[in-house]
Amino acid sequence: MAGYERDAAAAGTRARWVAPVRRAIARMLNPDGLSAGYVPAQRGQETDRIVDCAAYLDGRRLPGRPDYRAALAAARRGRGFVWLGLHDPDEADFAPIAQAFGLDELVAGHALNREHRPAVERYDQVTVIVLRTTRYVEHTELTETSEVVETGAVTVFVGPRFVITVRHGAPGALRPVRADLEARPTLLALGPWAVAYAVCDQLVGSYVQVATAVEADVDAVEEQVFAPRTARDRIAHIYQLKRELMEFKRAVAPLQRPFAALLDDRELPRPVVRYFRDVHGVLSRTVERVTAYDDLLNSVLQARLAQVSVDQNNDMRKIAAWAAIFAVQTFIAGIYGMNFEFIPGLKAANGFWVVLLVMLVLAVLMHRGFRRNNWL
């Protein structure tokens, strides 16, 4: 019993000096008070849809993974901000998050819409940026069912002291974006809009990579169509590539105008304008490339359809030439097959062989004539 009392006394002594040390460390980490209320998330408090949650101050990530409610409350009292990342949340997952961050029903609806058109919209102090994510699907050969471009969606909510990223689908993972941004504290110190820029820059950069890969497919299709010897019995793979290209174009092209409007928005912090201007320039060049690929693929498709028509005309000419040759033979054979008693040469001794010779000579002459005119 005496030993137990000694252990309890020692534990009480440790508790009395550990707590003040922890508070002192917290004040040193954050003299502005962001760490106040910055408590680790307890088991069961967070949904499994949360990929990461972190608080940032002066371009540095505070240690630990906090509960988003406490981190947001602390950020609103200090100078930092909170970055909450989610993947494929449903309505039940996002409802408490929307309530905690003050997002109304109209704004929160963007997070649950997987097929929303790319856009930039402002709701009071919250800006919603909707982007389509893209990924090139590797394939050895383009077929009628090949998937060339896989798409998803990312919605970015930018507020005064927070940024929420919601990703739907497999493409567009944002862990590399977070890691790269945390390695650039000067940029991260610009606040939530720095995160919005980094996400947009990453996704627009992926557009460039996908466009480069799709260009190789378009070039391959063009070479096949205009190759001197190739199998030209199917054009379904051209239609498939065009469908995939149109899906890619719908993900990229609609974002150009909202981005241009964002650059003119006075609410956009001036230090990040030049970063977004660079992203808009890359996006514009990518849209031009995709539009050029679409026009080229239309030309290739028209050329292939023209080839099909030419091939059909050539086949019809060959059929007509052979039909004409056999029609002459059929005509002569039909004349001498009639039941008339008086037909010239009918009773001649060599009449049969003479008629066969005439038929053969006519067939040879007609064949040579058709060959000379490229009908055979």
Side-chain angles (χ1 to χ4, degrees), residues 167-373:
R167 179 169 65 94
H168 292 287
L174 300 179
R175 287 187 184 273
V177 178
R178 189 185 289 265
D180 179 69
L181 196 56
E182 290 176 355
R184 304 168 64 185
T186 303
L187 176 60
L188 190 56
L190 296 178
W193 278 104
V195 177
Y197 154 73
V199 173
C200 294
D201 183 61
Q202 171 71 15
L203 297 186
V204 172
S206 69
Y207 296 162
V208 177
Q209 298 174 2
V210 173
T212 302
V214 170
E215 182 180 9
D217 284 331
V218 174
D219 291 341
V221 167
E222 185 180 16
E223 291 177 1
Q224 292 176 4
V225 169
F226 292 103
R229 311 188 75 153
T230 184
R232 297 179 177 178
D233 56 340
R234 296 181 304 173
I235 59 174
H237 61 287
I238 305 179
Y239 280 106
Q240 176 65 14
L241 180 58
K242 184 169 178 59
R243 284 197 297 268
E244 294 293 314
L245 185 61
M246 288 302 298
E247 182 179 359
F248 181 41
K249 187 176 181 179
R250 285 195 295 267
V252 177
L255 190 60
Q256 191 173 15
R257 182 173 296 178
F259 252 58
L262 180 63
L263 293 176
D264 296 330
D265 191 346
R266 294 183 178 180
E267 298 296 329
L268 184 67
R270 294 299 96 185
V272 299
V273 170
R274 64 187 184 94
Y275 292 104
F276 275 97
R277 185 172 290 112
D278 178 68
V279 174
H280 182 257
V282 176
L283 177 65
S284 299
R285 291 190 294 272
T286 305
V287 171
E288 292 175 358
R289 291 180 62 183
V290 174
T291 303
Y293 298 157
D294 188 33
D295 294 339
L296 178 59
L297 203 55
N298 286 334
S299 300
V300 170
L301 183 59
Q302 293 299 323
R304 183 67 192 99
L305 294 176
Q307 287 178 343
V308 171
S309 299
V310 171
D311 292 342
Q312 290 177 346
N313 290 336
N314 290 334
D315 292 340
M316 291 302 298
R317 284 164 47 170
K318 291 179 180 179
I319 294 173
W322 284 111
I325 293 174
F326 283 104
V328 173
Q329 319 307 316
T330 304
F331 174 76
I332 296 175
I335 291 295
Y336 279 90
M338 291 189 294
N339 294 323
F340 287 104
E341 187 174 353
F342 300 101
I343 296 178
L346 185 62
K347 296 182 179 181
N350 297 319
F352 173 74
W353 302 108
V354 172
V355 172
L356 286 182
L357 180 60
V358 171
M359 293 171 64
L360 179 60
V361 171
L362 289 175
V364 171
L365 292 176
M366 292 180 67
H367 186 273
R368 291 186 61 184
F370 286 130
R371 286 288 299 270
R372 190 181 300 113
N373 291 279

Side-chain angles (χ1 to χ4, degrees), residues 81-94:
F81 70 96
V82 179
W83 180 0
L84 177 63
L86 300 99
H87 182 217
D88 281 331
D90 55 23
E91 186 174 357
D93 295 324
F94 197 74

Side-chain angles (χ1 to χ4, degrees), residues 128-144:
V128 181
I129 305 175
V130 182
L131 307 102
R132 301 293 297 175
T133 59
T134 59
R135 182 176 66 183
Y136 180 77
V137 180
E138 296 290 343
H139 50 273
T140 56
E141 183 181 0
L142 184 66
T143 65
E144 293 85 349

Side-chain angles (χ1 to χ4, degrees), residues 1-17:
M1 187 64 125
Y4 174 78
E5 291 176 352
R6 285 195 301 270
D7 293 340
T13 302
R14 286 196 300 269
R16 283 193 296 272
W17 67 262

